Amino acid sequence: MVVAYDDAQILDVACSSATFEIANEYRASPPYAIELASATGRPVRSSSGIGLTGARRLASVTGRIDTMVVVGGHGTQTAMTDAGLLTQLRRLAPCCRRIASVCTGAFLLAAAGLLDGRRATTHWNYSDLMASVFPAVTVDPAPLYVRDGNIYTSAGVTSALDLTLALIEDDHGPTLAREVAREMVTYLHRPADQAQISTFLAPPPGDRVVRDLAGYIAAHLAEDLSPPALAARAGISTRHLTRLFRTQWGVTPARAVRTARTEAAAHLVRGSELSLAAIARRCGFRSAETLRQAFLNHYGMTGDTIRKMADMPLLQSREMPESIEGEGRARKS
């Protein structure tokens, strides 16, 4: 059962409901019975203006619920003041095998008191606000999704896909989850503890010099990206370059380069048939052995293992030591 309200994000609704639907197409047994519900039972107007019809009135829902998913969106703040909606969430919670939220839907679970004493996440841009409004909740802004008991909270928008695939895997095993992921043409089924923001999706640094260099690094991985070379390109001293990167990104220039190269190489390993030596050259590593060591430090596995596990989630990124500083898952859902 997907719970929505006016000005909810339509992608939050679609990511979870469509993923369960495709699981049914791949013969999930028992299948998921997908329902849309709202406080009033009237059609829901999404934040994009598209209306969602067929919503069931929450007060009419009785009996056991397998999975209740509460979505987020621009209407969350108004929904948090809807006493009727919060009352129904509290009433239905004990009837659910599991409860999940997408993005700012976590605010509704928190407002209903369902997250008190629990660890939770939400969209990174709203994590500080959630922590200040709901001090009884331990807000972790980093993961794609968090499970605490039978309650799952997820980050922004498309992380609902990662969470729903994990729920399908829990219910039916990894083979079905991977089939659904392939059908949806999703590149990776990302694990819960993968950071919401990678090197390629991180907000651009505020400083123009660092922002320009970040773009240059991503586009010129095979070139000389040593701190002196980057400093010369920016027309500043190496010491000032290091200070800017530490201030804007929280890492040294060499670490930023190393992370960009390693993540790019991992994508090539999983998405191409290039040899490790060719990928190493393309991404700026001195040799296949240097790349192998970078994978071990960053992901905890070798390139060969990453390639063999091409249909499985990539392990979370791990902090890389300074020793290679030079490189540069019928249910009612």
Side-chain angles (χ1 to χ4, degrees), residues 19-20 23 28-30 32 66-67 97-100 145-152 161-178 180 189-192 313 329 331:
T19 308
F20 284 125
S29 181
Y32 297 99
D66 184 79
T67 306
R97 178 169 73 94
R98 61 192 176 196
I99 301 168
Y145 56 92
V146 167
R147 177 183 182 179
D148 192 321
N150 72 329
I151 297 185
Y152 301 73
L161 173 57
D162 302 291
L163 172 58
T164 311
L165 285 169
L167 299 180
I168 292 170
E169 181 172 340
D170 286 346
D171 293 342
H172 302 290
T175 299
L176 180 61
R178 289 198 296 272
V180 173
H189 167 197
R190 301 172 294 178
R329 81 133 82 125
R331 287 185 172 91

Side-chain angles (χ1 to χ4, degrees), residues 171-213:
D171 293 342
H172 302 290
T175 299
L176 180 61
R178 289 198 296 272
E179 289 175 340
V180 173
R182 288 194 196 97
E183 178 68 20
M184 300 186 77
V185 201
T186 180
Y187 185 64
L188 295 175
H189 167 197
R190 301 172 294 178
D193 49 9
Q194 181 169 311
Q196 292 188 29
I197 304 174
S198 75
T199 297
F200 302 109
L201 295 178
D207 184 89
R208 181 187 60 79
V209 172
V210 182
R211 185 168 62 247
D212 290 347
L213 287 176

